[in-house]
Amino acid sequence: MLNKKYHIPFNFGGLEERYSSWENSKVVIISVPYDLTVSYRTGTRFGPRAIIDASTHMELYDEESKKETYKIGIHTLNEMDIVASSPEEMMEWIKKDCLEILKAKKFPVVLGGEHSITLGVVRAFLENKAK
């Protein structure tokens, strides 16, 4: 999928397929463009896209660790659909998606959006740990 506005691949770091496919990745990026309960002003929904766009300009070699950590594989899912019916339902959808990723033995990284999305992520990790 192409981000038509900037004409860059919609994946974290602009990584090539061998480092960004689901099969080859240990990390999965979930973009949650959610800002329905912000207290000051909207706009945090644009955060995930901005982070992914900016990531295509980062250095892939980590000078401190002397490694190319991206080679563990980073898969980027399409942006999550927003549930506007209630914040509780949105957190349940986030939890569900994170649990699926954890069950696949991959590590979810969630980009938001607003602070409230963290609750769904934490609940997923707690539920996964309890099993």
Side-chain angles (χ1 to χ4, degrees):
M1 175 171 140
L2 290 178
N3 171 351
K4 293 179 174 48
K5 183 175 180 186
Y6 298 106
H7 305 291
I8 58 173
F10 185 75
N11 66 9
F12 190 83
L15 301 176
E16 56 189 272
E17 178 72 18
R18 66 181 167 155
Y19 300 118
S20 64
S21 70
W22 172 265
E23 298 77 23
N24 297 333
S25 295
K26 291 184 180 177
V27 173
V28 177
I29 305 285
I30 304 174
S31 298
V32 185
Y34 185 71
D35 66 0
L36 293 178
T37 64
V38 293
S39 58
Y40 177 57
R41 64 199 285 198
T42 61
T44 57
R45 68 183 174 273
F46 302 117
R49 176 66 63 146
I51 293 167
I52 291 170
D53 287 349
S55 75
T56 64
H57 302 285
M58 71 180 181
E59 179 64 46
L60 295 175
Y61 180 77
D62 183 355
E63 300 242 352
E64 290 182 27
S65 68
K66 307 281 190 240
K67 295 180 181 177
E68 295 173 300
T69 54
Y70 72 93
K71 289 184 176 179
I72 64 169
I74 304 171
H75 180 72
T76 308
L77 297 175
N78 290 333
E79 286 185 338
M80 180 180 267
D81 290 332
I82 298 308
V83 177
S85 57
S86 73
E88 293 80 14
E89 190 174 353
M90 187 68 217
M91 296 317 113
E92 188 60 30
W93 278 101
I94 294 168
K95 181 182 98 171
K96 179 180 163 243
D97 282 3
C98 286
L99 274 172
E100 289 297 316
I101 291 165
L102 290 166
K103 286 177 187 173
K105 305 290 188 217
K106 298 176 186 291
F107 189 84
V109 173
V110 182
L111 305 177
E114 60 175 81
H115 297 52
S116 68
I117 67 169
T118 307
L119 184 58
V121 179
V122 171
R123 286 178 176 166
F125 273 92
L126 288 173
E127 187 173 317
N128 188 64
K129 182 181 177 187
K131 292 181 178 183

